[in-house]
Amino acid sequence: MRMLSEANGSIAGAGALLKILRDGQARTRAELVQLTGLARSTLGQRLDALLSQQWIVPTEEAISSGGRPAVAFTFNRGARIALAADLGATHARVAITDLGTEVLAERADEVPVDRGPVETLTWLQHTFEEMLAETGHTRDQICGIGIGLPGPVEHSSGRPVNPPIMPGWDGFPVPEWLGERFGAPVLVDNDVNIMALGEHWAARPEADHLIFVKIGTGIGCGIISDRHLHRGAQGAAGDIGHIQVASATDIVCRCGNLGCLEAVASGAAMSARLSAAGVEAADSRDVVRLVRSGNTQAVQLIRQAGREIGDVLASIVNFFNPSVIVVGGDIAEAGEQILAGLREVIYSRSLPLATQHLTITASELSDRAGVIGAAVMVIEHVLAPGTVDRSVTRD
Amino acid sequence: MRMLSEANGSIAGAGALLKILRDGQARTRAELVQLTGLARSTLGQRLDALLSQQWIVPTEEAISSGGRPAVAFTFNRGARIALAADLGATHARVAITDLGTEVLAERADEVPVDRGPVETLTWLQHTFEEMLAETGHTRDQICGIGIGLPGPVEHSSGRPVNPPIMPGWDGFPVPEWLGERFGAPVLVDNDVNIMALGEHWAARPEADHLIFVKIGTGIGCGIISDRHLHRGAQGAAGDIGHIQVASATDIVCRCGNLGCLEAVASGAAMSARLSAAGVEAADSRDVVRLVRSGNTQAVQLIRQAGREIGDVLASIVNFFNPSVIVVGGDIAEAGEQILAGLREVIYSRSLPLATQHLTITASELSDRAGVIGAAVMVIEHVLAPGTVDRSVTRD
DNA sequence: TTATTTTTGCTTGATCATCGCCATAAGTGC
DNA sequence: GCACTTATGGCGATGATCAAGCAAAAATAA
């Protein structure tokens, strides 16, 4: 048993304590004794250890009930920082967060990922460095770096696997490249996976089984099963964009197959269809703009897309029985229009037992879900190893 | 940390050791020292504890490499027994197994579950007692009882939830009823879940993500994600029988909806169709019999059913990315006929990344998957709490 | 100001798991 | 039969933890 607790590393035996304090609530010694079952003296020793490492801090306010007021301790979210990046096909979002996933600095830029890993990561390195200077943080405060990439990633090695829209990235050792430059552990994952992680952790921690559906240029989803990210055998889980839908078996998808969901209901498919109909729309954002401005064709199209996606999700609800479905991505910005279509189909097609407590909602974190998820991935890896990922990448 | 290890109960600190010995990773003291990092003396103490409780036994053969031969230890599968039952709609299979899920005694009977819980469980109690007498085991050797039921079960409480084919069972406290009579922990779960568990554990332990598809009177599946059973938010995960299939939106299902998979490809649906065509077939078994005897209509029907189910599974493969799909249930006894249809559709419709290492195979345990899974559920609960289920039912 | 209450820091002796060391057991090779 | 090698068991030392107690600190109530 000893080895298990010592595997925690620097935090040593105090890991269990930290776990309790990390929920953000201030706890007094008396409460902690109650919660852990430790002796007062032992608890004192452990608190000292955590205090000296700055992992926790005493709060200002003293709660008195007639005698000497008790000192309450809280988790020190500012003890370390996490570097997080959500790299999309054309735009990237980079952030520095504290250990409570609070965003301390943030940037969103147009960065084409198709120029290859070295150029993109060099830009990322410089952006991180600039932001660190901005916020006045040093390198030794970094507890880790989390990266989301728009394609399949082998999480254990942090390398992209045959990514369709990232030429030159196949097998590129992202963790090694960045790890050398910052001297911190680097974790990489698929963008939908980290979005699911972010939404689950920051907005819906009570949901045990969550599906995050990203509707943007393409369509994909991140899966949380029993509070763990489900990545699948090849890390390819959640690739629902190429599931065949019944209604349109004549449309050719970019993958070569017929009637893929993505070829019908994605942002790219919708903008293409609007353009063909004479309405100008270059990408997902234009579609959303048109919907918001009340364009009839766009509204009809997005409602129909919602029903198509709902068709696929209805099957998934029966199979997976999630407690929450969160919808995010560019197209989700159109709001209720797409959710209405989704709900309509899911509630009529799926089993009552599976739908009676099912929540279908738009992402609360919106376009920040990715970076926050990347931060969560890193923080959990450092503070509670094994919760999110079971294999270490780099140290 | 202390409290964590003590929660293990009677095995105390030696739990980790037992896990290693159980998997056969190490056998001699030297190897165990290497693997655990414990001191030789500490290891010796722990081994003594395990030996005195009969959890492990020294083997006869002594491995020498020039000096005094090392004593090899093996997990004593006979230390305790598990009582297991797989109750189906009309027939039941009951077994006593050792801790290695080896079947020591077994019975298969026609037992209609629709007569209510008291009659069925009373029969089960007597069967267990008879079998115990037969094998010469006593009650205090029972480490637990595992039950599989044909309907949704809230695993944490062990109670059926609105089971469609089990009148009178809704909310019945199965664990309490049986626990009182045998003085052992009772775990209950859906029949497909335990089949998935059995097949995963006994036949395919290397598969991290497994889907067990049961094709019998109805159609359902059990889901293993990251070596853990995925039960879903309402314990309703895996209910793929009522997913709508494109090809037959005109057929009414017993659930009231149109075009359910179960209404097209289940044993009940096939026997009904054969009967309507003038070929006598009362149930799934008759269908299998006809297929085996080479009846053209039956063969065509089962091939088509394979394709329909494959259609649904193709979507699930994209979504879930399993490493193995195991097919079981009465209809699966027909062998390659149904697998051919499945493979045909899945390999053509699902993504190459997801299918390239995907195995689609018939159940190795066949009609024993259920009881063995029930035994696994109990054994894992006692020996490695938290591996399969995270909530305790009864003690 | 003083008494009371409650928290906190510190000390002590006991307990327990673990560790390192040494003696002994049980083989192999000459 | 003897030296050598390797495995095993036992003993005292170590360190973490615990329960208990006492004194100091910091508030409230009289």
Side-chain angles (χ1 to χ4, degrees):
Chain A
M1 291 298 97
R2 167 67 71 85
M3 41 170 193
L4 286 175
S5 60
E6 283 193 336
N8 210 334
S10 59
I11 313 171
L17 252 190
L18 206 62
K19 208 164 193 170
I20 295 169
L21 284 163
R22 221 151 63 86
D23 64 3
Q25 252 203 311
R27 304 275 187 182
T28 66
R29 283 180 151 87
E31 287 172 329
L32 289 169
V33 163
Q34 182 78 20
L35 255 80
T36 58
L38 292 166
R40 273 197 299 275
S41 48
T42 316
L43 185 84
Q45 285 182 353
R46 295 206 173 161
L47 286 178
D48 283 345
L50 288 174
L51 280 165
S52 72
Q53 302 271 328
Q54 300 268 294
W55 284 110
I56 56 171
V57 280
T59 51
E60 300 304 309
E61 5 121 36
I63 316 133
S64 171
S65 54
R68 173 174 170 172
V71 177
F73 299 93
T74 49
F75 175 61
N76 180 16
R77 304 189 312 184
R80 302 281 177 89
I81 53 166
L83 306 187
D86 178 16
L87 304 181
T90 55
H91 39 288
R93 186 173 285 260
V94 187
I96 295 181
T97 79
D98 64 14
L99 296 176
T101 68
E102 192 76 22
V103 175
L104 305 175
E106 192 178 19
R107 286 207 197 168
D109 257 312
E110 298 296 314
V111 183
V113 82
D114 57 10
R115 293 219 189 126
V118 176
E119 190 173 330
T120 310
L121 291 177
T122 304
W123 170 83
L124 183 60
Q125 183 197 343
H126 293 147
T127 306
F128 276 147
E129 281 164 351
E130 281 169 36
M131 291 170 79
L132 282 171
E134 228 171 74
T135 57
H137 285 105
T138 58
R139 292 198 170 202
D140 52 293
Q141 290 181 282
I142 303 168
C143 77
I145 304 176
I147 311 284
L149 294 176
V153 175
E154 189 189 70
H155 176 69
S156 59
S157 68
R159 299 178 184 202
V161 185
N162 288 319
I165 60 167
M166 297 164 66
W169 284 77
D170 186 33
F172 189 84
V174 182
E176 286 80 356
W177 201 95
L178 278 172
E180 267 173 31
R181 282 154 181 86
F182 288 96
V186 179
L187 301 177
V188 189
D189 210 333
N190 184 289
D191 58 347
V192 231
N193 283 347
I194 59 168
M195 287 171 118
L197 211 54
E199 191 75 22
H200 169 59
W201 223 82
R204 311 206 151 262
E206 80 290 347
D208 286 342
H209 311 285
L210 178 145
I211 291 177
F212 185 101
V213 184
K214 182 191 175 191
I215 313 170
T217 308
I219 297 175
C221 77
I223 306 162
I224 304 260
S225 158
D226 258 317
R227 276 166 282 113
H228 292 268
L229 203 43
H230 172 85
R231 295 193 172 91
Q234 270 72 42
D239 218 329
I240 59 171
H242 300 282
I243 290 178
Q244 209 173 36
V245 288
S247 58
T249 42
D250 53 331
I251 300 175
V252 182
C253 177
R254 62 185 163 98
C255 75
N257 277 351
L258 291 169
C260 291
L261 178 64
E262 202 164 288
V264 185
S266 69
M270 283 191 276
S271 59
R273 254 203 241 185
L274 284 171
S275 301
V279 184
E280 235 174 277
D283 58 9
S284 325
R285 293 178 184 181
D286 290 340
V287 177
V288 173
R289 222 166 285 142
L290 286 164
V291 170
R292 282 202 176 143
S293 68
N295 179 292
T296 324
Q297 277 179 292
V299 169
Q300 267 191 322
L301 208 55
I302 209 166
R303 279 233 157 199
Q304 184 55 30
R307 282 190 286 265
E308 306 277 15
I309 299 170
D311 200 33
V312 168
L313 289 180
S315 302
I316 289 173
V317 165
N318 276 354
F319 170 76
F320 193 74
N321 186 206
S323 28
V324 180
I325 293 179
V326 179
V327 183
D330 284 350
I331 293 288
E333 308 277 320
E336 283 300 314
Q337 300 287 359
I338 198 142
L339 285 178
L342 277 177
R343 292 204 184 101
E344 179 189 325
V345 178
I346 294 173
Y347 284 121
S348 72
R349 293 264 174 85
S350 297
L351 287 170
L353 182 58
T355 53
Q356 63 184 355
H357 293 120
L358 174 66
T359 306
I360 301 172
T361 178
S363 166
E364 210 168 278
L365 305 179
S366 182
D367 48 9
R368 271 184 163 179
V371 272
I372 290 180
V376 168
M377 176 167 65
V378 166
I379 295 165
E380 290 306 295
H381 171 77
V382 175
L383 261 48
T387 309
V388 173
D389 51 339
R390 293 160 208 232
S391 49
V392 182
T393 303
R394 198 197 146 75
D395 227 68
Chain B
M1 292 295 95
R2 168 70 71 86
M3 41 172 191
L4 288 174
S5 59
E6 284 193 338
N8 209 335
S10 58
I11 313 170
L17 253 189
L18 201 62
K19 201 165 194 170
I20 295 169
L21 283 162
R22 206 153 64 93
D23 302 341
Q25 287 177 44
R27 309 162 48 80
T28 67
R29 283 179 149 89
E31 288 171 336
L32 287 167
V33 163
Q34 182 80 19
L35 238 73
T36 58
L38 291 166
R40 274 194 293 279
S41 47
T42 315
L43 186 84
Q45 284 182 355
R46 294 203 175 164
L47 286 177
D48 282 347
L50 289 173
L51 280 164
S52 73
Q53 303 272 326
Q54 299 268 292
W55 284 110
I56 57 172
V57 281
T59 51
E60 301 306 310
E61 9 123 34
I63 314 139
S64 172
S65 55
R68 172 174 172 174
V71 177
F73 297 96
T74 50
F75 175 63
N76 180 17
R77 303 190 312 184
R80 303 280 177 89
I81 53 165
L83 305 186
D86 178 16
L87 304 180
T90 56
H91 39 287
R93 186 172 285 261
V94 187
I96 294 181
T97 79
D98 65 15
L99 295 177
T101 68
E102 192 76 23
V103 176
L104 306 176
E106 192 179 18
R107 284 208 197 168
D109 256 315
E110 298 295 316
V111 183
V113 82
D114 59 8
R115 292 218 190 126
V118 176
E119 191 172 331
T120 311
L121 292 177
T122 303
W123 168 83
L124 184 61
Q125 182 197 344
H126 293 147
T127 307
F128 275 147
E129 280 164 352
E130 281 170 35
M131 291 169 79
L132 282 170
E134 226 171 76
T135 57
H137 285 106
T138 58
R139 294 202 169 200
D140 52 295
Q141 289 180 283
I142 304 168
C143 76
I145 304 175
I147 312 285
L149 294 176
V153 175
E154 188 188 71
H155 176 70
S156 58
S157 68
R159 299 178 183 201
V161 184
N162 288 317
I165 59 167
M166 297 164 66
W169 285 78
D170 185 33
F172 189 84
V174 182
E176 285 81 353
W177 200 96
L178 277 172
E180 267 173 30
R181 284 156 179 83
F182 287 95
V186 180
L187 300 178
V188 189
D189 210 332
N190 184 290
D191 57 349
V192 232
N193 284 346
I194 60 168
M195 287 171 119
L197 212 53
E199 191 74 23
H200 169 59
W201 223 83
R204 311 209 150 258
E206 79 290 347
D208 286 342
H209 312 284
L210 178 146
I211 292 177
F212 185 101
V213 184
K214 182 191 176 192
I215 312 170
T217 309
I219 296 175
C221 78
I223 306 161
I224 304 260
S225 158
D226 257 317
R227 277 166 282 114
H228 291 268
L229 203 44
H230 171 87
R231 296 193 172 91
Q234 270 73 44
D239 217 329
I240 60 172
H242 301 281
I243 290 179
Q244 210 172 35
V245 288
S247 59
T249 43
D250 54 330
I251 300 174
V252 183
C253 177
R254 64 186 161 99
C255 77
N257 278 351
L258 292 170
C260 291
L261 178 64
E262 201 164 290
V264 185
S266 69
M270 284 191 276
S271 60
R273 252 200 244 188
L274 284 171
S275 300
V279 184
E280 235 173 278
D283 57 10
S284 326
R285 294 178 183 181
D286 289 339
V287 177
V288 173
R289 221 165 285 140
L290 286 164
V291 170
R292 283 203 174 143
S293 69
N295 179 291
T296 323
Q297 278 180 290
V299 169
Q300 266 190 321
L301 209 53
I302 209 165
R303 279 234 157 198
Q304 183 55 28
R307 281 190 287 266
E308 307 276 15
I309 299 169
D311 200 33
V312 167
L313 289 180
S315 302
I316 288 173
V317 166
N318 276 353
F319 170 77
F320 193 73
N321 187 206
S323 28
V324 180
I325 294 179
V326 179
V327 183
D330 283 351
I331 292 289
E333 308 278 321
E336 282 300 314
Q337 299 287 359
I338 198 141
L339 284 178
L342 276 177
R343 293 204 184 101
E344 178 189 326
V345 178
I346 294 174
Y347 284 120
S348 72
R349 294 265 173 86
S350 297
L351 288 170
L353 182 58
T355 52
Q356 65 184 353
H357 293 120
L358 174 66
T359 307
I360 302 172
T361 177
S363 167
E364 209 167 279
L365 306 179
S366 183
D367 49 8
R368 270 184 164 180
V371 272
I372 290 180
V376 168
M377 175 166 67
V378 165
I379 295 164
E380 290 306 292
H381 171 77
V382 174
L383 261 47
T387 308
V388 173
D389 52 339
R390 292 157 209 235
S391 49
V392 182
T393 302
R394 199 198 145 75
D395 229 68

